[in-house]
Amino acid sequence: MQEKTGAGAVASALTLEEKASLLCGQGAWKTVGVERLGVPSIVLTDGPHGVRLQDPNAGGSAFDINASLPATCFPTAAALGSSWDVDLLARIGEALGAESRAAGVSVLLGPGVNIKRSPLCGRNFEYLSEDPLLGGHLGAALVRGVQSTGVGTSVKHFAANNQETERMRISAEVDERTLREIYLAAFEHIVTTAKPRTVMAAYNKINGVHAAQNPWLLTQVLRDQWGFDGLVVSDWGAVLDPVSAVAAGLDLEMPSTNGFSAQRLVQAVGDGRLDEAAIDRAVVRLLELIEWTAAGREPAAAPDLDVHHALARQAAAESAVLLKNDDAILPLDPDADAAVAVIGEFARTPRYQGAGSSRVTPTRLDNALDALRDAAGEKLRLSFSPGFLLSGDEEPQLVSEAVAAAEAADVAVLFLGLPEGVESEGHDRDDIDLPAVQVRLLEAVARVNRNVVVVLANGGVVEVAGWHRHARAVLEGWLGGQAGGSAIADLLFGRVNPSGRLAETIPLRLADNPSYLNFPGGEGTVTYGERVYVGYRYYDTVDAPVAYPFGHGLSYTSFAYSDLDIRVDGSGDDVVVRVRFTLTNSGPVAGKEVAQVYVGDTASSVDRPARELKAFTKVALAAGESAQVELALYARDFSYFSTAHDGWVLEPGEFVIHVGASSRDLRLSAPVTVDAPEPVAPLTDESTVAQWLADPAGGPALRASLDRIPGSGLGDPAILRMVESLPLTRLAALSGGHVDIDDIRRQLAQTSAQGL
Ligand code: GLC
């Protein structure tokens, strides 16, 4: 491989044993150093929404995820994904990078960009979206932000790690088109546009082959097709066979296996099962990573944690989604002469992050109750009732206290959500329901007070259809990070106008989700039977009712879309479709709108989702202000992945462009025609006679060969028409061998050589 730095020279000075040891971690969070050659050991640690660095003085296990040094806990990915704000994510990445540097971390393990295939996935709190374009663009922004500080990232978990159930051995059975269009697409965008320094290979298998030792995934796709030149690190404990892993393209196994893997690598080279060049290749990549991250190990100004906390607060506010707001009950007036009953333990004890390897020890923790009290004017009377036990156990006394408080108040604000442990790395959920004790509390409160506002704290979506009629407003706060409590107060009192949009559909019922019958699989496999129809791609194609659609989110103002103008420049692979429109803040206060562009293919030779998100932008507008928006679409935005063509195919013809405020709230639409050469599938022996005859080179070759078969009549167009749907192999078999495929191939080679 072309050496980019002195890494090759250093590698050549290493013994095989030293090289093999470099490919296997040191302890839980470090790489092996080679002091005699000045190769330092570097630290890799989680991520993704805060630096989780093991406290060296905590003693105990290196995997004690609760013993980490304080760091800013930003909103988790489920929240950040709902911000739809690329610039914000880049700024958060910069802050994460600064804190990583200060902690001596060279690679921050994140972002997690796995697609939210099922709402049940225990780690959906840690992932960005059900849509790969949104996840890819936001993930790329995080990568750029972190890496701008000289700290590397590790986009994860590559790939198709969409459940926690049996995550270390389950095989995700996914057709290639679905992989390419859905489960690899976010990784592809991030790798090709943001160049993460590492990619983390997932625990699971893909079509029977472990991701961490999958040559198709780690070399053919990631490196040969996408041009990735960084390092592939395993998820922790994901390597089954280090020899197969290195041969497949894995470079670093984590954590350490105390020399066992290194020994197996040396042995495999010794007995010819592994080419030492594969080890050298991985060593060079590790040395290049160490070299690339050297700048991040230089002393730098200590990060301002107050500034980071403020950024976390802004991010949480930008990520919250106002699902409903009947009669504009929100925002509340903090200076009103009124009584507000704050109900729910989550107001006092915030649920602000997920469980597992991403768990951060926050530098500070805001709760909504204190934040509301701090922001309330003198005349606003706030009461607090916990309302329920986080354990989920019934506590009638708490309910009656809460109901009494609600009855005495003008407005009741209920803080509900998923208790710790319901959703976590390592296990999936069994349902998407709010705890029954919380729903019963809401019903009891709604019986005595019609002005009910619900604030949610959850990472994976929760079912709302059974209870949201009891609330006039529902604000989805997700897991808002250490400043989430203050952000909620900012939103409730209107100091910030909600601008989050759903990055995942909220279904009416779990059973409506397209993966429902194929989750979490069993007996070692999970079949992605819904194919590309994930999330809104399914709901919108079958026009299924949902509780709240992908892209949905209300504001305290309103937005109007007008003057759609679509310009097409070029054709085929060079086509550029410019989508222009006017966006106006038609309401009373400043706000931010997320304008979304969806593309539908009105006529295609394969089934395709009704529409797919292909561009978006978040625009801040003062009341009454208008802006001209232009978003560009390219060939890939109109293409689908074809296994028959073994690549992306842009079929010429008519498409429809939708511009809107969600996948269902389509404000402007227009047809557009894209010109492109008719795609021609590569001819194979399984191609039909018709496909062969239609091919510019294959047709003459086939005819030349058939014409030489005496008495076959196959030169007769009428006869040929009768057999045109036969694969060539069947024609050869039926002809008793007179149709000679080898001869046809020779003819094709001659025809092609003649440039026909
Ligand atoms: C965990 C997670 C991965 C994390 C790694 C190190 O099992 O799957 O996201 O980065 O191991 O903690």
Side-chain angles (χ1 to χ4, degrees):
M1 81 185 274
Q2 181 60 37
E3 290 157 8
K4 291 179 286 187
T5 62
V10 172
S12 60
L14 294 165
T15 65
L16 174 59
E17 286 68 18
E18 286 172 324
K19 290 188 286 190
S21 70
L22 279 172
L23 304 191
C24 311
Q26 175 184 303
W29 308 107
K30 290 186 175 181
T31 62
V32 168
V34 183
E35 196 170 346
R36 70 181 183 83
L37 293 176
V39 176
S41 163
I42 66 170
V43 176
L44 305 85
T45 200
D46 298 301
H49 51 262
V51 180
R52 201 202 68 76
L53 182 65
Q54 209 66 27
D55 179 351
N57 303 315
S61 156
F63 292 98
D64 177 358
I65 53 176
N66 295 310
S68 58
L69 294 170
T72 303
C73 180
F74 287 97
T76 73
L80 298 178
S82 304
S83 74
W84 291 62
D85 190 331
V86 172
D87 297 335
L88 172 67
L89 276 271
R91 286 166 52 212
I92 290 173
E94 288 163 17
L96 288 168
E99 293 194 28
S100 299
R101 280 190 68 155
V105 173
S106 291
V107 177
L108 188 67
L109 301 172
V113 299
N114 293 104
I115 290 295
K116 302 187 187 192
R117 173 177 179 249
S118 165
L120 293 174
C121 176
R123 284 185 91 171
N124 274 355
F125 71 88
E126 211 174 326
Y127 301 147
L128 291 162
S129 178
E130 71 185 30
D131 178 87
L133 182 119
L134 180 59
H137 284 244
L138 295 179
L142 279 168
V143 166
R144 282 193 295 272
V146 172
Q147 298 194 162
S148 69
T149 67
V151 173
T153 55
S154 192
V155 62
K156 67 188 187 181
H157 306 88
F158 192 56
N161 182 183
N162 306 103
Q163 64 188 61
E164 292 301 287
T165 306
E166 293 197 17
R167 64 175 174 162
M168 285 198 167
R169 65 175 190 178
I170 195 93
S171 176
E173 300 295 310
V174 200
D175 66 278
E176 185 173 4
R177 178 187 173 197
T178 301
L179 276 173
R180 297 283 188 166
E181 292 188 20
I182 305 296
Y183 297 99
L184 298 182
F187 289 97
E188 179 182 12
H189 180 80
I190 294 167
V191 163
T192 55
T193 63
K195 301 192 181 308
R197 297 318 305 164
T198 82
V199 168
M200 182 186 290
Y203 285 126
N204 54 283
K205 298 173 189 170
I206 298 173
N207 298 324
V209 181
H210 271 287
Q213 49 201 58
N214 190 318
W216 175 80
L217 186 73
L218 302 184
T219 297
Q220 194 176 326
V221 172
L222 181 61
R223 295 190 186 278
D224 299 347
Q225 294 173 10
W226 296 351
F228 178 65
D229 65 357
L231 173 135
V232 178
V233 59
S234 73
D235 198 342
W236 266 235
V239 172
L240 199 64
D241 167 15
V243 176
S244 304
V246 172
L250 187 96
D251 304 305
L252 175 62
E253 176 184 357
M254 292 302 288
S256 164
T257 56
N258 300 316
F260 180 50
S261 292
Q263 177 195 357
R264 291 166 73 182
L265 290 171
V266 170
Q267 204 167 338
V269 171
D271 59 26
R273 287 180 294 117
L274 181 65
D275 184 340
E276 186 167 355
I279 291 188
D280 293 344
R281 178 184 64 200
V283 166
V284 166
R285 288 166 184 158
L286 176 64
L287 294 172
E288 287 176 343
L289 173 67
I290 291 170
E291 193 163 4
W292 188 93
T293 53
R297 289 189 291 277
E298 294 301 319
D304 184 332
L305 297 181
D306 291 336
V307 167
H308 288 185
H309 185 75
L311 177 60
R313 177 170 177 168
Q314 180 196 355
E318 294 261 346
S319 303
V321 180
L322 185 56
L323 297 177
K324 69 179 286 191
N325 189 23
D326 293 350
D327 313 316
I329 187 173
L330 290 180
L332 305 175
D333 178 357
D335 299 316
D337 180 0
V340 175
V342 177
I343 297 169
E345 185 55 55
F346 286 131
R348 177 172 60 182
T349 311
R351 171 93 209 289
Y352 63 99
Q353 65 175 327
S357 60
S358 67
R359 185 174 188 74
V360 176
T361 300
T363 57
R364 52 190 277 195
L365 183 58
D366 297 352
N367 69 70
L369 180 59
D370 290 347
L372 288 167
R373 283 174 171 154
D374 292 348
E378 288 172 5
K379 294 182 288 185
L380 193 70
R381 301 176 300 283
L382 290 179
S383 66
F384 172 67
S385 320
F388 56 87
L389 295 173
L390 293 178
S391 63
D393 298 333
E394 288 288 351
E395 183 50 78
Q397 180 59 29
L398 291 182
V399 174
S400 53
E401 284 170 8
V403 169
E407 195 159 18
D410 299 293
V411 180
V413 182
L414 275 76
F415 286 77
L416 309 178
L418 295 180
E420 188 81 40
V422 168
E423 49 186 346
S424 167
E425 176 180 347
H427 66 79
D428 294 320
R429 288 193 282 168
D430 298 322
D431 58 55
I432 60 171
D433 304 333
L434 274 182
V437 67
Q438 294 183 27
V439 175
R440 283 196 291 276
L441 170 69
L442 168 59
E443 290 164 347
V445 165
R447 279 194 287 273
V448 301
N449 190 322
R450 60 184 298 274
N451 296 325
V452 174
V453 172
V454 167
V455 179
L456 290 172
N458 49 288
V461 295
V462 295
E463 183 269 349
V464 300
W467 54 262
H468 67 157
R469 66 183 182 283
H470 299 305
R472 292 175 65 192
V474 178
L475 180 63
E476 172 59 83
W478 305 115
L479 301 182
Q482 66 181 48
S486 297
I488 291 298
D490 293 339
L491 293 161
L492 291 176
F493 283 149
R495 286 186 301 202
V496 175
N497 185 353
S499 63
R501 299 290 183 270
L502 289 178
E504 178 185 7
T505 306
I506 301 180
L508 285 173
R509 305 175 310 145
L510 172 63
D512 295 342
N513 179 272
S515 70
Y516 181 70
L517 295 177
N518 286 297
F519 188 95
E523 297 193 339
T525 65
V526 55
T527 302
Y528 286 37
E530 72 284 358
R531 299 165 48 231
V532 297
Y533 299 96
V534 175
Y536 74 91
R537 284 175 167 80
Y538 167 75
Y539 300 117
D540 290 359
T541 302
V542 302
D543 202 17
V546 297
Y548 294 101
F550 175 80
H552 170 78
L554 300 180
S555 170
Y556 294 150
T557 188
S558 57
F559 296 96
Y561 292 67
S562 60
D563 312 322
L564 178 61
D565 172 43
I566 296 173
R567 302 285 172 91
V568 179
D569 294 322
S571 64
D573 290 345
D574 302 325
V575 73
V576 179
V577 176
R578 301 186 193 288
V579 181
R580 296 186 179 120
F581 54 94
T582 301
L583 191 59
T584 300
N585 179 338
S586 49
V589 295
K592 295 180 181 179
E593 172 67 323
V594 177
Q596 303 153 45
V597 176
Y598 295 86
V599 173
D601 190 345
T602 44
S604 63
S605 57
V606 296
D607 62 293
R608 300 187 71 177
R611 52 186 159 270
E612 298 177 281
L613 178 74
K614 294 300 180 184
F616 66 90
T617 184
K618 192 165 194 176
V619 183
L621 292 170
E625 184 186 4
S626 291
Q628 302 306 312
V629 180
E630 177 173 317
L631 294 168
L633 304 174
Y634 303 91
R636 173 67 79 85
D637 296 317
F638 297 89
S639 304
Y640 64 87
F641 187 87
S642 162
T643 46
H645 295 77
D646 191 24
W648 292 90
V649 165
L650 168 54
E651 282 187 333
E654 187 177 283
F655 296 81
V656 61
I657 305 285
H658 302 289
V659 178
S662 83
S663 80
R664 294 281 172 99
D665 183 3
L666 303 173
R667 308 288 183 85
L668 303 169
S669 297
V672 67
T673 298
V674 175
D675 295 328
E678 280 296 337
V680 178
L683 291 174
T684 69
D685 297 353
E686 282 305 298
S687 301
T688 64
V689 170
Q691 286 171 324
W692 272 87
L693 292 174
D695 184 88
L702 179 56
R703 284 194 174 82
S705 183
L706 296 181
D707 285 348
R708 289 205 304 281
I709 304 171
S712 72
L714 284 170
D716 177 346
I719 301 288
L720 259 185
R721 188 149 171 70
M722 285 164 57
V723 298
E724 67 180 11
S725 64
L726 287 182
L728 201 59
T729 49
R730 261 21 129 263
L731 182 66
L734 287 172
S735 73
H738 287 296
V739 173
D740 176 352
I741 290 183
D742 292 335
D743 179 53
I744 293 168
R745 289 227 161 268
R746 280 191 296 275
Q747 290 292 337
L748 181 60
Q750 286 172 17
T751 314
S752 304
Q754 291 156 10
L756 285 178

